[in-house]
């Protein structure tokens, strides 16, 4: 056969098979063909829950969208359906987990059907947290025209009595001032109360509000009342409060550890000589100029002194502590929130409960008293999935307490490196600012002494101030 004919037959598929080809065909025929290895399907994306999925009505869902609440947080997903079933709740969750909406939405939804004055009471450990909760209720209930009143120490009782006379739906209060009104405000009664919320219950008890809470619970109705207790930790005191105030509650816990910090938080410490603490703080804040920061101190005196020191150096700082009047405390918070001031110098009154957006840096100028306070302090930054940074100044006197904090956290924190020469360049300027801060603090203490003497004189003359049992 010619070469050309062979090629033609091969193109037509009629070329004879070789011996090797026949063997391969026989082998293939005798063994079943292997099926291809199955490729696992990609897991279908899990659709995030909505507030509507939890049973929240449309008007409240619209309010959530308007406030930027796109999807429920874990504590909201777990507790709202239970609350809508009419059950009492013990909720364990950290600050910043969305607890306020978790208890506000079920209360507002029930209020829409019943429209009753003095419908709900929320007890909070600090004045700032009380105002924050009231704002959340007002915003979430804007479409149903909810009326709220805030009862806290440091504010005029007469104005608060007038607010109570307008029969608000929701009262948000610190325990001391609420008891003052229950005992002294004519016509004010909570005998028809339907909802009681104790927020930050562990903090309420840490501030020795236990005896006051006992008195309040005695005048509240037991029957027909729903009670929600929210706490970061479940101590023996909180358990006693639960047994005294809740009926067959459901426990909802999303808090794995009271010493847990979020992954987006970068934490450092800096070992420095005690006498140079002011220098290192000024250097750090000068490096972070244009960013927001909260500087935590142990005492009221230090918070005020450092704020004066920083302002003398042209750094926009403002203090926040328990010895300021309530109006001054609110003014400090509002200025910081609106970026009127970049630095908030605060005691632990700002460590828990406050939801301040976009805090870039937390500085522990003084070491906190325990690891739990540390977690709450640094939790003021890196909120809602954002990143943040926390730096703790550790002196030669703080090494052992700081190691205990690391042990509770379960990890060693990296040490920040700062060139000492860069810090010491600031010595002269900071020294002048320190002297100015001492001078202003001396004047402040003298003024307070004069006011205190005048107040004592008025009281001896028969004047009576309403006792303020609120926190410092």
């Amino acid at each position: 056969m010619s070469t050309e004919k062979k090629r033609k037959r091969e193109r037509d598929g009629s070329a004879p098979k070789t011996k090797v080809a026949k063997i391969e065909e026989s082998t293939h025929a005798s063994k079943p063909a292997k099926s291809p290895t199955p490729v696992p399907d990609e897991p279908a994306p899990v659709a995030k829950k909505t507030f509507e999925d939890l049973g929240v009505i449309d008007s409240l869902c619209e309010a959530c969208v308007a406030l930027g609440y796109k999807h429920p947080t874990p504590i909201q997903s777990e507790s709202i359906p239970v609350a809508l079933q009419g059950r009492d709740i013990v909720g364990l969750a950290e600050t910043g987990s969305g607890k306020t909406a978790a208890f506000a939405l079920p209360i507002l939804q029930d209020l829409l059907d019943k429209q009753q004055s003095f419908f709900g009471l929320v007890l909070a450990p600090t004045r700032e947290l009380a105002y924050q909760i009231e704002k959340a209720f007002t915003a979430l209930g804007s479409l149903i025209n909810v009326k709220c009143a805030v009862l806290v120490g440091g504010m005029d009782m007469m104005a608060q009595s007038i607010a109570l006379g307008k029969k608000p739906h929701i009262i948000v209060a610190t325990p001391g001032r609420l008891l003052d009104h229950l005992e002294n405000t004519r016509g004010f009664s909570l005998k028809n109360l339907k909802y009681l919320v104790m927020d930050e219950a562990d903090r309420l008890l840490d501030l020795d509000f236990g005896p006051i809470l006992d008195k309040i619970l005695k005048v509240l109705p037991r029957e027909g009342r729903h009670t929600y207790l929210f706490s970061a930790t479940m101590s023996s005191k909180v358990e006693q409060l639960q047994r005294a105030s809740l009926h067959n509650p459901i426990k909802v816990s999303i808090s794995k550890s009271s010493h847990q910090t979020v992954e987006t938080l970068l934490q450092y410490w800096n070992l420095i000589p005690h006498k140079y603490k002011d220098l290192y703080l000024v250097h750090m804040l000068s490096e972070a100029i244009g960013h927001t920061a909260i500087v935590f101190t142990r005492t009221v005196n230090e918070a005020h002194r450092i704020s004066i020191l920083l302002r003398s150096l042209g750094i926009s700082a403002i203090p926040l502590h328990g010895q300021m009047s309530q109006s001054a405390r609110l003014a400090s918070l509002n200025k910081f929130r609106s970026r009127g001031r970049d630095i908030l110098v605060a005691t632990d009154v700002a460590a828990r409960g406050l939801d301040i957006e976009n805090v870039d840096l937390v500085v522990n100028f003084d070491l906190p008293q325990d690891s739990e306070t540390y977690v709450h302090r640094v939790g003021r930054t890196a909120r809602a999935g954002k990143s943040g940074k926390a730096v703790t100044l550790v002196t030669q006197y703080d090494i052992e307490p700081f190691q205990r904090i690391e042990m509770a956290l379960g990890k060693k924190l990296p040490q920040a490196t700062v060139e000492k020469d860069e810090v010491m360049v600031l010595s002269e300027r900071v020294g002048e600012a320190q002297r100015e801060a001492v001078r202003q603090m001396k004047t402040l203490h003298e003024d307070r002494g004069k006011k205190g003497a005048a107040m004592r004189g008025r009281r001896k003359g028969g004047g009576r101030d309403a006792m303020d049992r609120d926190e410092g």
Side-chain angles (χ1 to χ4, degrees):
M1 186 182 293
S2 67
T3 304
E4 186 177 344
K5 286 183 178 179
K6 284 181 181 178
R7 287 175 179 169
K8 185 174 184 297
R9 290 178 66 180
E10 287 173 1
R11 284 195 304 269
D12 296 341
S14 55
K17 295 176 182 175
T18 62
K19 190 175 182 181
V20 175
K22 286 180 181 178
I23 292 173
E24 287 176 350
E25 184 182 59
S26 174
T27 304
H28 291 160
S30 61
K31 292 182 180 180
K34 290 183 179 180
S35 59
T37 304
V39 179
D41 295 332
E42 289 289 329
V46 179
K48 289 185 177 181
K49 285 185 178 180
T50 64
F51 286 98
E52 189 177 1
D53 295 335
L54 304 182
V56 179
I57 58 175
D58 291 343
S59 59
L60 293 176
C61 287
E62 289 174 18
C64 290
V65 172
L67 293 172
Y69 301 167
K70 295 181 180 178
H71 300 284
T73 64
I75 188 64
Q76 292 164 1
S77 295
E78 295 294 326
S79 60
I80 289 176
V82 175
L84 291 176
Q85 293 170 12
R87 298 294 301 272
D88 284 5
I89 294 175
V90 175
L92 297 181
E94 297 294 340
T95 301
S97 57
K99 297 196 301 287
T100 304
F103 59 73
L105 288 170
I107 294 174
L108 290 171
Q109 185 151 319
D110 199 15
L111 174 64
L112 187 61
D113 291 333
K114 296 173 182 174
Q115 288 294 315
Q116 174 192 313
S117 59
F118 302 136
F119 189 71
L121 167 66
V122 183
L123 294 175
T126 65
R127 303 164 187 175
E128 287 74 21
L129 180 56
Y131 279 102
Q132 187 172 290
I133 292 170
E134 183 270 337
K135 284 184 179 178
F137 264 97
T138 301
L140 287 169
S142 59
L143 297 178
I144 61 174
N145 298 316
V146 67
K147 292 189 294 183
C148 302
V150 179
L151 309 179
V152 297
M155 303 299 280
D156 181 41
M157 274 196 71
M158 183 58 68
Q160 293 174 357
S161 298
I162 293 171
L164 290 174
K166 295 179 181 178
K167 308 294 184 184
H169 302 113
I170 307 295
I171 296 172
V172 188
T174 49
R177 182 50 63 93
L178 175 67
L179 187 58
D180 281 337
H181 281 287
L182 286 170
E183 291 176 346
N184 302 310
T185 300
R186 187 175 298 175
F188 174 49
S189 169
L190 294 175
K191 63 183 180 181
N192 295 318
L193 186 77
K194 298 302 181 187
Y195 285 88
L196 169 65
V197 181
M198 289 175 282
D199 195 16
E200 301 278 1
D202 50 344
R203 180 70 171 151
L204 282 168
L205 296 169
D206 287 344
L207 290 169
D208 295 327
F209 282 133
I212 298 176
L213 290 174
D214 291 340
K215 290 182 179 179
I216 292 171
L217 289 172
K218 285 178 181 177
V219 300
L220 299 184
R222 290 283 296 175
E223 298 298 324
R225 187 192 82 204
H226 304 292
T227 305
Y228 307 147
L229 186 152
F230 285 89
S231 179
T233 57
M234 181 54 80
S235 65
S236 57
K237 287 184 178 179
V238 175
E239 286 182 353
Q240 289 175 6
L241 182 59
Q242 170 196 326
R243 289 194 294 270
S245 57
L246 280 77
H247 174 68
N248 192 24
I250 290 182
K251 186 176 179 180
V252 176
S253 176
I254 62 153
S255 181
K256 294 181 181 177
S257 169
S258 61
H259 301 106
Q260 199 173 54
T261 55
V262 295
E263 295 179 359
T264 54
L265 173 65
L266 303 175
Q267 302 173 74
Y268 301 94
W269 66 286
N270 200 342
L271 183 61
I272 61 174
H274 185 273
K275 63 180 179 180
Y276 295 141
K277 283 179 77 174
D278 287 356
L279 281 172
Y280 277 85
L281 175 66
V282 171
H283 178 269
M284 189 188 312
L285 295 179
S286 298
E287 292 286 305
I289 205 76
H291 294 277
T292 55
I294 300 180
V295 178
F296 282 104
T297 67
R298 186 177 294 115
T299 66
V300 167
N301 198 69
E302 275 293 80
H304 219 97
R305 184 190 70 83
I306 289 172
S307 64
I308 296 172
L309 171 78
L310 295 176
R311 286 200 300 269
S312 300
L313 293 165
I315 299 174
S316 63
I318 196 164
L320 177 67
H321 55 73
Q323 288 186 11
M324 297 167 63
S325 68
Q326 186 57 38
S327 56
R329 286 160 69 166
L330 290 175
S332 289
L333 270 177
N334 291 335
K335 283 182 182 177
F336 184 64
R337 281 193 171 111
S338 64
R339 295 297 298 270
R341 296 287 189 276
D342 289 334
I343 312 298
L344 184 70
V345 188
T347 59
D348 285 326
V349 74
R352 282 179 69 162
L354 296 186
D355 187 14
I356 304 172
E357 293 184 0
N358 303 321
V359 176
D360 302 311
L361 172 67
V362 167
V363 180
N364 288 311
F365 182 80
D366 293 321
L367 209 63
Q369 60 183 358
D370 52 44
S371 54
E372 188 176 339
T373 304
Y374 172 88
V375 171
H376 285 296
R377 282 185 180 185
V378 301
R380 298 310 96 201
T381 185
R383 297 172 73 82
K386 297 177 183 176
S387 60
K389 182 178 177 181
V391 180
T392 301
L393 301 184
V394 180
T395 72
Q396 65 268 33
Y397 309 114
D398 302 321
I399 293 174
E400 187 178 340
F402 181 71
Q403 287 175 340
R404 288 199 293 269
I405 290 174
E406 285 187 316
M407 191 177 299
L409 294 173
K411 59 183 175 182
K412 289 281 186 182
L413 300 182
Q415 186 173 356
T417 55
V418 180
E419 291 294 333
K420 186 178 178 182
D421 293 341
E422 293 181 11
V423 177
M424 298 311 293
V425 168
L426 301 168
S427 293
E428 188 174 342
R429 287 184 60 220
V430 172
E432 291 176 4
Q434 285 173 325
R435 289 187 287 275
E436 175 61 21
V438 169
R439 188 189 67 79
Q440 290 194 35
M441 288 297 293
K442 184 178 179 181
T443 303
L444 181 67
H445 287 307
E446 288 174 353
D447 291 343
R448 281 182 179 169
K450 292 174 184 177
K451 288 180 181 177
M455 287 291 290
R456 286 192 294 273
R458 283 202 294 272
R459 286 174 184 168
K460 285 179 182 178
R464 181 183 183 274
D465 293 327
M467 180 176 161
D468 181 7
R469 302 179 181 87
D470 200 358
E471 100 297 347

